Amino acid sequence: MNEDYIFLTSSDLETSQATKNRLTPFFTQILNKKLLVRLISPDQKKLKLSSKSFKHTALNIKNKKSKNFLQRAILELYISIRVCLSVEKNYKKVILTTPSPLLIFCVFFFRSKDLIVDIRDLTWEYLPSNNHFQKLVRFFAKHLISFCLQYPSIITVSNNCEKKYLEETFKLKNKVYMLSNGISLNKHNDLSALDNEAQTPVIGYFGSLGKAQKVETLVYLAERNKSIDFFICGEGSEKEKIVELAKKCDLKNLTISKKLNWEELKEKYKKTNIFFAQLSNEYWSAVPSKLYDYLSTGKCLLFSGSGEAKNFLETFDNCFISDTNSLEDIQLKIDEIIINGSHKNISNNNRVRVRKEFIREDLVNNFLDSVE
């Protein structure tokens, strides 16, 4: 049987919520058009959708994240090749979705005119360059990716900064489509209906606990602000370190939670009135999808970082931005929020704008209409 769309990812959807959030609207909207969809990924468990037109090939490959860069790269390349070799020849469109740049090296497995590459992050720009070997690896990776991206017929990116980068740095003209991240309609409806349950400040972070997010900042802020409740919810490579740091500081006003289901998360979102997000400055091109969740609530948002995420948030109300990643500067923003009572405010403009511009199903439909 011919599949109309085949989606390939080297990420495990069981653990990569960002990849799952990016792909699921594609599946639902394509299935609504009565087309066939197949997903191939290294997952151990199959994604279940209520449609006989959807098939998930879960390759059952364990991806143990080694701290050794070379070992991690070899495993990622192996997974990428395994995923691509699992594609049969009868297809209409193949969509490769990153963030792994090594999947991009496999573009030549497919017909150029039928290939779409979804760039969700400029991950090769984040490769370490602390010594000559790392600089050499980064140089060759960047030039090889540039060569490979000349091949697909369409490239999608998640924000205008990425689009500009690919068009100017890699000279890719008339093939880069901006397909923004966003939030599902159901999720937006749930979050935009929430009120402020607490009148006293409650600062919450919900999302990945990796090096890019520097969530340990909240531990230090909790230590400084004993009268404010702090809440951290998520999983990631830095969670153990964050938990240990919190234990060492013996904080009564900080709660660190495991990953919660949606109903549990909504309760935490209701109690939170200052949503925190942070990105290290080297992640200048990224706009975390979690920001669309925060903005949908209309509640106060505190962001520490620069680059595209900062530029994006500056166009919304009730957002307070520290562009230095400095603890002192973030503290000043918290003081400003509390003195002005901004944590009690809810921006209906933010809710309306997210509904109008950043619903994932609408964004995907517009893209599909443009390529069919």
Side-chain angles (χ1 to χ4, degrees), residues 266-305:
K266 280 195 295 183
E267 289 303 310
K268 299 300 182 183
Y269 270 63
K270 189 188 296 184
K271 293 176 181 177
T272 302
N273 50 32
I274 303 174
F275 288 96
F276 180 78
Q278 182 169 232
L279 276 180
S280 302
N281 289 331
E282 57 263 35
Y283 297 89
W284 47 268
S285 68
V287 179
S289 56
K290 186 58 61 177
L291 296 180
Y292 300 95
D293 294 10
Y294 292 173
L295 292 167
S296 291
T297 69
K299 297 186 182 187
C300 181
L301 197 160
L302 172 60
F303 177 74
S304 173

Side-chain angles (χ1 to χ4, degrees), residues 9-132:
T9 178
S10 57
S11 297
D12 190 323
L13 270 65
E14 186 75 18
T15 56
S16 177
Q17 191 63 43
T19 301
K20 186 176 180 180
N21 289 343
R22 180 76 168 176
L23 292 182
T24 301
F26 273 103
F27 303 153
T28 56
Q29 298 312 300
I30 293 172
L31 292 170
N32 285 343
K33 295 175 180 286
K34 309 300 181 185
L35 299 173
L36 302 177
V37 177
R38 184 182 178 194
L39 166 66
I40 304 176
S41 73
D43 283 274
Q44 294 173 282
K45 294 181 180 179
K46 291 186 177 183
L47 179 67
K48 294 181 180 179
L49 294 182
S50 57
S51 173
K52 293 182 179 179
S53 298
F54 175 78
K55 180 181 179 183
H56 183 189
T57 301
L59 298 178
N60 192 22
I61 304 172
K62 292 182 180 180
N63 187 359
K64 294 182 179 180
K65 300 289 185 180
S66 171
K67 293 183 179 181
N68 182 283
F69 172 75
L70 188 59
Q71 289 179 354
R72 194 166 65 249
I74 291 171
L75 180 56
E76 285 281 352
L77 183 59
Y78 166 74
I79 291 172
S80 298
I81 293 172
R82 278 282 307 275
V83 166
C84 292
L85 288 176
S86 299
V87 177
E88 298 171 1
K89 292 183 179 180
N90 298 322
Y91 61 82
K92 292 183 181 178
K93 291 287 183 185
V94 169
I95 299 181
L96 274 69
T97 184
T98 64
S100 172
L102 296 173
L103 190 60
I104 298 172
F105 299 160
C106 301
V107 293
F108 302 105
F109 283 65
F110 311 103
R111 299 186 294 268
S112 172
K113 66 183 180 66
D114 302 321
L115 179 62
I116 300 171
V117 173
D118 179 41
I119 305 288
R120 215 179 68 232
D121 215 344
L122 305 179
T123 45
W124 55 90
E125 285 290 340
Y126 311 150
L127 291 173
S129 55
N130 300 320
N131 54 53
H132 292 303

Side-chain angles (χ1 to χ4, degrees), residues 240-276:
E240 188 176 330
K241 185 187 297 183
I242 294 166
V243 170
E244 287 302 314
L245 179 62
K247 285 181 180 178
K248 184 179 179 181
C249 295
D250 191 27
L251 299 170
K252 307 299 182 186
N253 60 327
L254 172 63
T255 302
I256 301 177
S257 166
K258 62 179 181 179
K259 188 176 180 180
L260 303 175
N261 64 40
W262 181 235
E263 291 304 316
E264 293 169 327
L265 265 178
K266 280 195 295 183
E267 289 303 310
K268 299 300 182 183
Y269 270 63
K270 189 188 296 184
K271 293 176 181 177
T272 302
N273 50 32
I274 303 174
F275 288 96
F276 180 78

Side-chain angles (χ1 to χ4, degrees), residues 106-280:
C106 301
V107 293
F108 302 105
F109 283 65
F110 311 103
R111 299 186 294 268
S112 172
K113 66 183 180 66
D114 302 321
L115 179 62
I116 300 171
V117 173
D118 179 41
I119 305 288
R120 215 179 68 232
D121 215 344
L122 305 179
T123 45
W124 55 90
E125 285 290 340
Y126 311 150
L127 291 173
S129 55
N130 300 320
N131 54 53
H132 292 303
F133 174 72
Q134 290 178 343
K135 288 178 181 178
L136 191 64
V137 169
R138 182 170 172 169
F139 174 83
F140 279 112
K142 183 175 178 177
H143 282 75
L144 184 55
I145 288 168
S146 175
F147 173 72
C148 291
L149 288 180
Q150 309 299 321
Y151 184 74
S153 60
I154 296 173
I155 297 168
T156 57
V157 294
S158 63
N159 62 60
N160 284 316
C161 180
E162 293 168 350
K163 186 175 190 293
K164 183 179 179 181
Y165 173 96
L166 292 181
E167 290 179 337
E168 294 183 359
T169 305
F170 290 169
K171 311 300 180 187
L172 299 171
K173 300 294 183 182
N174 304 318
K175 65 191 298 185
V176 184
Y177 187 101
M178 214 281 275
L179 178 56
S180 173
N181 275 325
I183 183 171
S184 71
L185 180 58
N186 287 340
K187 203 172 180 183
H188 173 73
N189 289 341
D190 284 347
L191 294 179
S192 61
L194 298 179
D195 292 322
N196 265 335
E197 187 175 272
Q199 290 301 302
T200 55
V202 179
I203 300 179
Y205 174 83
F206 304 83
S208 298
L209 304 179
K211 289 185 178 180
Q213 293 79 25
K214 297 179 69 174
V215 182
E216 66 273 8
T217 297
L218 280 184
V219 180
Y220 298 123
L221 290 171
E223 191 174 28
R224 285 176 169 224
N225 300 272
K226 297 291 178 63
S227 62
I228 299 176
D229 288 330
F230 289 78
F231 185 80
I232 297 173
C233 175
E235 300 292 336
S237 60
E238 298 296 295
K239 183 168 186 177
E240 188 176 330
K241 185 187 297 183
I242 294 166
V243 170
E244 287 302 314
L245 179 62
K247 285 181 180 178
K248 184 179 179 181
C249 295
D250 191 27
L251 299 170
K252 307 299 182 186
N253 60 327
L254 172 63
T255 302
I256 301 177
S257 166
K258 62 179 181 179
K259 188 176 180 180
L260 303 175
N261 64 40
W262 181 235
E263 291 304 316
E264 293 169 327
L265 265 178
K266 280 195 295 183
E267 289 303 310
K268 299 300 182 183
Y269 270 63
K270 189 188 296 184
K271 293 176 181 177
T272 302
N273 50 32
I274 303 174
F275 288 96
F276 180 78
Q278 182 169 232
L279 276 180
S280 302

